[in-house]
Amino acid sequence: MEFKVVIPAHYASTRLPGKVLLEVRGRPIIEYVYENACNSGAGQVVVATDDRRIADAARMFGAEVCLTSNQHVSGTDRIAEVTQKYAWSDDTVIVNLQGDEPMMPGKNIHQVAANLYHHPAVSIATLCAVLDSGHEIQNTNIVKVIYDEHHIAIGFTRDVQTFDPSCSHTVYRHLGIYAYRAGYLRKFTQWPRSRLEKQESLEQMRAFEHGDLIHVELCKSVPGIGVDTQEDYETLLDLM
């Protein structure tokens, strides 16, 4: 199985600007992300950014960098530009690994790529984890997902109360890692934002509303936290 990993990274994060360059043990967060990607079995790992500071830092630790437009509104759009610049074939499997996930294990990166590779009927593959507590279930910053017996997503939401109360499926914490084929990605980014996507602020709802199948599986190795806020960063320092 061959696949590529693209790490979209921008500087102007709303809640924590420059977060991917914050240091842990003297190294930027994005370096840990890159190392995990390199340990996943990927044939190529690319850092995609529109910011020279991130590009320079990534090159310092040996990463391949693709400079992209500063007009992208999402990491998915940024990755679509990478596929065009590299002229990757439509069937190329790409993992979207967020630049603020320094604790996402290489095992999970490989897992999500393999799931897409071995399920040709699905458009996107992603992962989930067990919700740790009632607090996480009620926390609208944590995205939830339910899926059927074939591991096809039934729904995603931030507010668990939007799920049908009669639904017997287990609710999981969605992990923001995706695999898709280059051809699908280019098509996906041409579609306008959908109603549910705007309502939930969840990009995958665009695929949902087009009737595309999303494969979901429980991750093989539970990742630590991603870094969205200063509090997350301080927690990360304690963990690592």
Side-chain angles (χ1 to χ4, degrees), residues 20-77:
V20 299
L21 296 182
L22 293 175
E23 292 192 349
V24 179
R25 295 183 178 176
R27 298 195 292 161
I29 283 173
I30 195 168
E31 184 172 356
Y32 292 95
V33 179
Y34 176 77
E35 285 184 352
N36 289 339
C38 290
N39 290 330
S40 69
Q44 186 175 11
V45 180
V46 180
V47 174
T49 185
D50 61 356
D51 191 278
R52 290 284 179 182
R53 291 163 290 188
I54 296 173
D56 290 345
R59 290 188 179 113
M60 284 290 290
F61 57 75
E64 180 177 351
V65 175
C66 180
L67 283 170
T68 61
S69 167
N70 61 4
Q71 299 302 306
H72 296 309
V73 297
S74 72
T76 306
D77 294 321

Side-chain angles (χ1 to χ4, degrees), residues 128-133 136 170-175 218-219 222-223:
C128 65
V130 174
L131 283 162
D132 286 341
S133 64
E136 284 194 343
T170 303
V171 179
Y172 292 96
R173 173 167 66 96
H174 178 234
L175 304 181
L218 197 62
C219 61
V222 178

Side-chain angles (χ1 to χ4, degrees), residues 85-101:
K85 285 191 170 184
Y86 282 83
W88 288 337
S89 64
D90 283 353
D91 61 353
T92 301
V93 173
I94 303 162
V95 174
N96 175 349
L97 177 62
Q98 296 180 28
D100 58 5
E101 291 278 355

Side-chain angles (χ1 to χ4, degrees), residues 102-114:
M103 301 183 77
M104 181 64 72
K107 184 184 294 185
N108 289 356
I109 301 167
H110 186 277
Q111 177 186 3
V112 74

